[in-house]
Amino acid sequence: MLTIDHVAFAGLDLDDLRAVAETVGLPTTYGGPHGTGTTHMAVVGLPDGSYLELVAPTEGTDPADAGFWPAHLAADAGPAGWCLDASDAAKSAKSAIDRGVRVDGPHEASRTRPDGTRVEWDMCFEGPDGDERLPFVVADRTPRSYRTTPDPDLRDSPLLGTAAVVLAVEDADASVDLLARRHRLPTPVDADGPFDRLRVCPGAPVALAEAGTDGALRERIETVGEGPCAYLLGVDDFEAARERFSLGDPFAFGQTRRRAAWFDHERFAGRLGVVERSD
């Protein structure tokens, strides 16, 4: 089973993204500029050790020149990429190549935290250029605790961690083949949710939303390509989550119709929410 290391949420202005997160009850910690100098980020550290990364261009940087997800930054698109942790980025890249998957990397990467701590890792992107359906891989060269630790304000909250990544795709069957070939994900099943033609992979934190000929998903794919369009954070008590966080109206998600809700802000509606833990 895949275990998500973190998910990236892209926008034009990091201060704005942080303010929106704080408004709905998600505390953020500034993580500093990346080594490219073109982007910087903040972390929502979740109790299970995974995290939500808010990322935006640094002041004065044109999004087109950013080192990470330039199209997503320019479009203020929110969900941009999802990440798996690996002990060896080169070994992971070889595994992808052996399965007929294009790789970009490994690349050395870094950022410098406000306290001066330098965080370093190797990373590798997988899949066709401009296609974010497959997760990218990070292998830490400094301790993982340098990258993130659970936020103290969330440790006793109903939040658990990253429960599901919803991928906007052109052709669900083709995407299923890609995910199964690379990560042996199970065959997805039809499911309830806030997207038409939604399928979930049983036992895995992945769902696929197939775009039609028009609508929001079609517009998104034409703007930023295939890849994550929404993230759901897991909660162990849905009613407690509604009391603790600012959430919209509940909806059913998945094969077992678990209760879910978007964070109640226009920047997060349809993009970032919570879902109750499965039995």
Side-chain angles (χ1 to χ4, degrees), residues 40-62:
H40 58 159
M41 57 86 76
V43 172
V44 178
L46 302 171
D48 71 350
S50 66
Y51 62 98
L52 171 67
E53 175 184 5
L54 306 177
V55 59
T58 49
E59 185 175 358
T61 297
D62 188 315

Side-chain angles (χ1 to χ4, degrees), residues 41-251:
M41 57 86 76
V43 172
V44 178
L46 302 171
D48 71 350
S50 66
Y51 62 98
L52 171 67
E53 175 184 5
L54 306 177
V55 59
T58 49
E59 185 175 358
T61 297
D62 188 315
D65 298 326
F68 299 106
W69 305 294
H72 294 77
L73 296 173
D76 225 13
W82 55 305
C83 176
L84 305 181
D85 183 30
S87 58
D88 187 321
K91 184 177 180 179
S92 178
K94 183 180 183 305
S95 177
I97 293 170
D98 288 345
R99 288 169 171 80
V101 174
R102 173 189 175 274
V103 300
D104 176 10
H107 301 287
E108 295 183 0
S110 66
R111 62 179 166 88
T112 303
R113 298 187 336 201
D115 64 3
T117 300
R118 182 175 172 84
V119 187
E120 299 180 355
W121 64 92
D122 297 318
M123 67 190 308
C124 187
F125 293 91
E126 299 183 2
D129 187 31
D131 183 332
E132 303 293 343
R133 287 176 296 169
L134 289 175
F136 66 98
V137 170
V138 161
D140 289 298
R141 289 190 285 123
T142 51
R144 188 178 186 279
S145 60
Y146 285 16
R147 275 200 292 133
T148 185
T149 55
D151 192 291
D153 291 340
L154 293 178
R155 284 177 180 157
D156 295 325
S157 78
L159 280 181
L160 299 170
T162 309
V165 172
V166 181
L167 304 175
V169 300
E170 289 272 11
D171 182 324
D173 290 335
S175 295
V176 167
D177 290 344
L178 175 65
L179 290 164
R181 173 158 46 97
R182 177 63 183 100
H183 291 292
R184 297 187 59 81
L185 286 185
T187 301
V189 297
D190 292 340
D192 292 305
F195 302 98
D196 294 335
R197 292 182 290 277
L198 181 71
R199 302 186 198 176
V200 298
C201 296
V206 182
L208 298 93
E210 188 176 62
T213 56
D214 54 20
L217 286 184
R218 167 58 48 199
E219 182 178 351
R220 179 180 179 86
I221 288 175
E222 291 177 354
T223 302
V224 299
E226 296 180 275
C229 63
Y231 305 130
L232 292 172
L233 310 181
V235 296
D236 59 5
D237 185 328
F238 188 76
E239 292 305 324
R242 295 187 72 186
E243 293 179 6
R244 173 70 182 268
F245 303 103
S246 179
L247 298 173
D249 294 333
F251 57 86

